[in-house]
Amino acid sequence: GAGVSQSPSNKVTEKGKDVELRCDPISGHTALYWYRQRLGQGLEFLIYFQGNSAPDKSGLPSDRFSAERTGESVSTLTIQRTQQEDSAVYLCASSLRDHQPQHFGDGTRLSIL
Amino acid sequence: DQQVKQNSPSLSVQEGRISILNCDYTNSMFDYFLWYKKYPAEGPTFLISISSIKDKNEDGRFTVFLNKSAKHLSLHIVPSQPGDSAVYFCAASGFNAGNNRKLIWGLGTSLAVNP
C-alpha cells in the first residue's frame, strides 16, 4: 500500500511481558516518528528517526522503551516488562523530510491486562 | 505545561454553516503550524499548514488564520459538511533548546456537524 502501515492493529498482553510494535513508513520518507495517545489525551511524542539514526529520543518515557529503524524503512518500537500505564494507541508517522507534514498509520492499540 | 492549547474540547455546528476551531500557543519560537483531522480508529490526516511568515492559507473549504502577536491560530471550515465530523488537532513546530525541531500537539477539538 501507499500509506504508513502498522502492525499489529491490536495487541492485548499481560503485565510484565515484552511487546514489539512495527511500522512500515511510506517508501522514500526519511523521517519517522513514534507517538503515543492515551485515552482522552493528546499525542505524546516518543522518538524521531532521521534515516536510521535517532537524533531525538527525548519522549521515551522510561528505559523500558526502545526503538530501532533499519535504514530508511521499517521501525520497531519495543516495550519491555509492560505496565498497565503503557496501555495506549501507539502511532507511527513518516514524512519525506523533517519539517514536512507527517503521514500517520492507523496505530496499534495496546492493552495491558 | 501545555504549549499548544485547544481550549474547546468539542464543537457542534449545523451543516452548511462555518466551523471555527481555535488554537493558542505560548512559545514564540514556533514557526510552522499544522492542522490534522482524525477519525475514530484511524491515524491523524494532515489537513493544512501555515508558516509564521504568513497570516492566512486557504485550501478549498479550509482556511487557517495566524495571529502571531496574539499567538493564536484558527481553522475555518465553510461550508461545514457532516463528513467533517472528526477530532481536529492543532500542532506547532519549532526548534527546542537542544536544536531539535519538535512538533507539539494540542489535545484536539471534537467537531460534530449536524445534518
Side-chain angles (χ1 to χ4, degrees), chain B residues 21-25 33-35 50 64-67 71-75 90-91:
Chain B
L21 297 110
N22 293 304
C23 179
D24 296 288
Y25 61 96
F33 304 88
L34 307 94
W35 284 95
I50 188 167
V64 56
F65 295 92
L66 175 63
N67 183 333
K71 295 192 179 67
H72 176 84
L73 65 154
S74 60
L75 174 68
C90 169

Side-chain angles (χ1 to χ4, degrees), chain A residues 13-19 64 79-83 112:
Chain A
T13 193
E14 292 179 346
K15 177 181 168 182
K17 300 285 189 184
D18 296 352
V19 295
R64 296 187 295 106
I79 310 173
Q80 295 177 308
R81 306 180 302 282
T82 52
Q83 304 293 314
I112 309 300

Side-chain angles (χ1 to χ4, degrees), chain A residues 26-63:
Chain A
I26 293 173
S27 177
H29 280 197
T30 62
L32 185 146
Y33 310 80
W34 283 98
Y35 293 90
R36 176 170 74 174
Q37 186 177 23
R38 290 170 159 156
L39 192 64
Q41 303 292 315
L43 274 72
E44 178 187 356
F45 168 78
L46 297 178
I47 188 170
Y48 153 63
F49 286 93
Q50 181 62 42
N52 65 358
S53 67
D56 190 353
K57 304 179 183 179
S58 61
L60 295 177
S62 77
D63 59 8

Side-chain angles (χ1 to χ4, degrees), chain A residues 2-109:
Chain A
V4 176
S5 177
Q6 290 187 247
S7 61
S9 54
N10 284 283
K11 177 73 176 178
V12 181
T13 193
E14 292 179 346
K15 177 181 168 182
K17 300 285 189 184
D18 296 352
V19 295
E20 191 172 278
L21 313 180
R22 177 186 169 110
C23 173
D24 285 89
I26 293 173
S27 177
H29 280 197
T30 62
L32 185 146
Y33 310 80
W34 283 98
Y35 293 90
R36 176 170 74 174
Q37 186 177 23
R38 290 170 159 156
L39 192 64
Q41 303 292 315
L43 274 72
E44 178 187 356
F45 168 78
L46 297 178
I47 188 170
Y48 153 63
F49 286 93
Q50 181 62 42
N52 65 358
S53 67
D56 190 353
K57 304 179 183 179
S58 61
L60 295 177
S62 77
D63 59 8
R64 296 187 295 106
F65 288 72
S66 62
E68 293 182 343
R69 186 178 185 196
T70 306
E72 291 186 351
S73 60
V74 173
S75 175
T76 54
L77 176 70
T78 302
I79 310 173
Q80 295 177 308
R81 306 180 302 282
T82 52
Q83 304 293 314
Q84 286 187 330
E85 64 262 26
D86 300 334
S87 296
V89 176
Y90 289 81
L91 289 158
C92 175
S94 70
S95 62
L96 194 59
R97 277 176 288 279
D98 186 20
H99 192 41
Q100 300 274 322
Q102 297 172 21
H103 300 261
F104 282 81
D106 288 339
T108 294
R109 182 174 298 277

